[in-house]
Amino acid sequence: MVPLSILDLSPITEGSDAGQALRNSRDLARHVERLGYNRYWMAEHHNLPGIASAATAVALAHVAAGTEHIRIGAGGIMLPNHAPLQIAEQFGTLAALHPGRVELGLGRAPGSDQLTNRALRRNLLGDVEQFPRDVVELMAYFQPPEPRQRIQAVPGAGLEVPIWILGSSTYGAQVAAILGLPFAFASHFAPAMMMEAITIYHQRFQPSAQLASPYVMLGVTTVAAETDEEARFLFSSLQQSTLNNRTGQPGKVPPPVADFDAQLDPYARAVLADSQSCAVVGSPETVRRGLEEFAERTHANELMVTANIFDHKKRKRSFEIVAEVHGAMTQTA
C-alpha cells in the first residue's frame, strides 16, 4: 500500500493569528500520528499572511515536542535563503532532541516574492544557482567529522539526517537523481511538469549511501468531507487563497464560499486549473477513487496530502477520512 504523509502549511485563518495556527498544527500532528500517517512536514514561506511556518525549524520543534513517533521534517527549507551550516545546526538540534525522527527536504525556490528575497538574502542574491553545491556541503555537515576538520555542525555532525530534494520542475529531479536522494514533487500547487520530472528522476538516478533505488513522493491537495458538496464548499477557502496569492493580494485563509466555482471568471478558472489539476476533493468514496487513480497514474512511492481548510475540526476530519479510505486503496508502490 502506498504510504500517506502530511504537508502542513500551518494556515492562519481570518479572525485568528499565527499563535493559534501553530497550536493547531501541533494538535493536527498528534491527530495524524494516531491515524498512522508516515511523516509530517512543514514548509518555509515568507511574507504570506496566511502561513505561520516561516521559521520552519522552530515550528517543527513545537510539533515534535507534542508528538511521539511520527517522522517530522521540512517540506522544505529553501536553501538559497540560508547558509548550509546554519541549517545543519538547526536540524542537527532537532535530530539530537528527537533521534531517528527528523528529516530535511531542500528546495531552491525563494518561498517568497522578490522584495522579500532581498530582505532575506541581502548579499546572497546569486546563491540560487549554487544550490547543488550547497546541498552537498550541507550533507557533509551531517557526516561523522574528519580528523582535524575545522568546521563542524554542533549539533549535527554524525547524525546523518536524511536529505530529500524538492522540486516543482525538472531541475530538482535532476539534482535528486545525480545525488541519489529521494525526490518530492510539488504537484499540490505546480503539477504541470510532474510526469516529466518523475521520468527524468528515474532515468538518471544514481544510487547513493542514503538511497539504493529511486523514491518519489508527490504532494496532493486532498479535501475530504461527508459529501462531495461539503468538500467542494471547504475547498473554496484554498481556491480563494490561491487566487489571492497569484494576483498579488495575499491574505489570511478566508472562510469557504458556497457555489464558488460558479463565480469564477475565465482567468480565475485558468489559474486554478493550472495549480489544482491534481486536487482530490469529495466524499470518502470520491477521495478513495481519486487518490487510487493518482497513485496508479504516477506510480508514486508515497503521497503527501495537504489541505488548507478554514475550520480546524473539519481539517482534522478531512485527514481522518483520508486515513479511513487508505485501507481500501489497491495501488501498491
Side-chain angles (χ1 to χ4, degrees):
M1 188 73 64
V2 59
L4 292 180
S5 292
I6 299 287
L7 174 63
D8 175 22
L9 298 181
S10 198
I12 307 173
T13 57
E14 289 184 9
S16 189
D17 56 30
Q20 187 58 54
L22 292 166
R23 287 188 288 273
N24 287 347
S25 288
R26 182 161 161 158
D27 180 58
L28 178 64
R30 288 171 173 159
H31 183 61
V32 300
E33 181 176 64
R34 290 191 294 267
L35 292 172
Y37 281 87
N38 193 36
R39 63 188 89 236
Y40 188 98
W41 281 9
M42 303 181 82
E44 177 187 353
H45 292 279
H46 300 280
N47 199 30
L48 289 177
I51 297 178
S53 53
T56 314
V58 179
L60 287 169
H62 172 67
V63 166
T67 53
E68 296 179 359
H69 57 79
I70 192 170
R71 297 187 67 83
I72 60 167
I77 291 294
M78 300 299 104
L79 192 52
N81 294 342
H82 312 276
L85 176 60
Q86 178 187 37
I87 299 305
E89 291 170 342
Q90 290 177 4
F91 280 79
T93 300
L94 285 170
L97 290 168
H98 306 282
R101 293 181 58 197
V102 176
E103 53 199 9
L104 174 55
L106 301 172
R108 71 168 186 139
S112 58
D113 58 86
Q114 291 301 314
L115 186 64
T116 307
N117 288 358
R118 289 194 288 273
L120 280 167
R121 299 177 187 171
R122 298 187 181 262
N123 63 341
L124 299 179
L125 288 173
D127 227 30
V128 66
E129 299 306 325
Q130 299 169 10
F131 176 68
R133 183 205 66 184
D134 287 347
V135 172
V136 171
E137 180 183 341
L138 176 53
M139 291 170 64
Y141 287 130
F142 289 131
Q143 299 304 308
E146 299 289 338
R148 298 182 182 178
Q149 182 174 325
R150 298 187 63 184
I151 300 176
Q152 297 182 29
V154 182
L159 296 182
E160 299 184 341
V161 173
I163 301 293
W164 292 65
I165 298 298
L166 278 58
S168 57
S169 68
T170 59
Y171 182 90
Q174 295 176 66
V175 174
I178 291 170
L179 297 179
L181 297 174
F183 179 50
F185 190 84
S187 36
H188 60 292
F189 74 86
M193 303 182 75
M194 176 182 68
M195 296 307 297
E196 183 180 358
I198 293 171
T199 298
I200 288 174
Y201 174 67
H202 278 274
Q203 289 177 342
R204 303 185 185 182
F205 182 83
Q206 300 178 23
S208 69
Q210 179 176 328
L211 192 65
S213 57
Y215 194 94
V216 175
M217 181 164 64
L218 302 179
V220 189
T221 295
T222 308
V223 178
E226 308 308 325
T227 66
D228 288 345
E229 182 180 13
E230 182 187 2
R232 287 194 295 269
F233 174 68
L234 298 176
F235 182 51
S236 68
S237 289
L238 177 58
Q239 291 176 302
Q240 292 175 77
S241 291
T242 299
L243 290 172
N244 290 340
N245 291 336
R246 295 290 179 97
T247 56
Q249 303 175 72
K252 293 183 177 182
V253 176
V257 174
D259 298 321
F260 184 69
D261 287 345
Q263 305 172 31
L264 298 175
D265 60 33
Y267 173 76
R269 290 182 185 279
V271 169
L272 294 177
D274 176 64
S275 62
Q276 299 293 335
S277 63
C278 291
V280 177
V281 180
S283 65
E285 179 58 21
T286 300
V287 167
R288 184 197 64 78
R289 290 197 309 267
L291 290 177
E292 189 172 280
E293 291 168 1
F294 184 75
E296 289 175 347
R297 176 164 62 92
T298 61
H299 298 287
N301 298 98
E302 188 167 344
L303 301 181
M304 177 162 271
V305 295
T306 184
N308 269 21
I309 294 173
F310 182 83
D311 185 298
H312 181 58
K313 291 182 179 179
K314 296 288 188 181
R315 189 166 180 244
K316 291 173 65 176
R317 177 58 183 151
S318 178
F319 288 123
E320 192 174 284
I321 290 172
V322 173
E324 289 170 356
V325 304
H326 179 235
M329 291 170 59
T330 59
Q331 169 69 19
T332 57

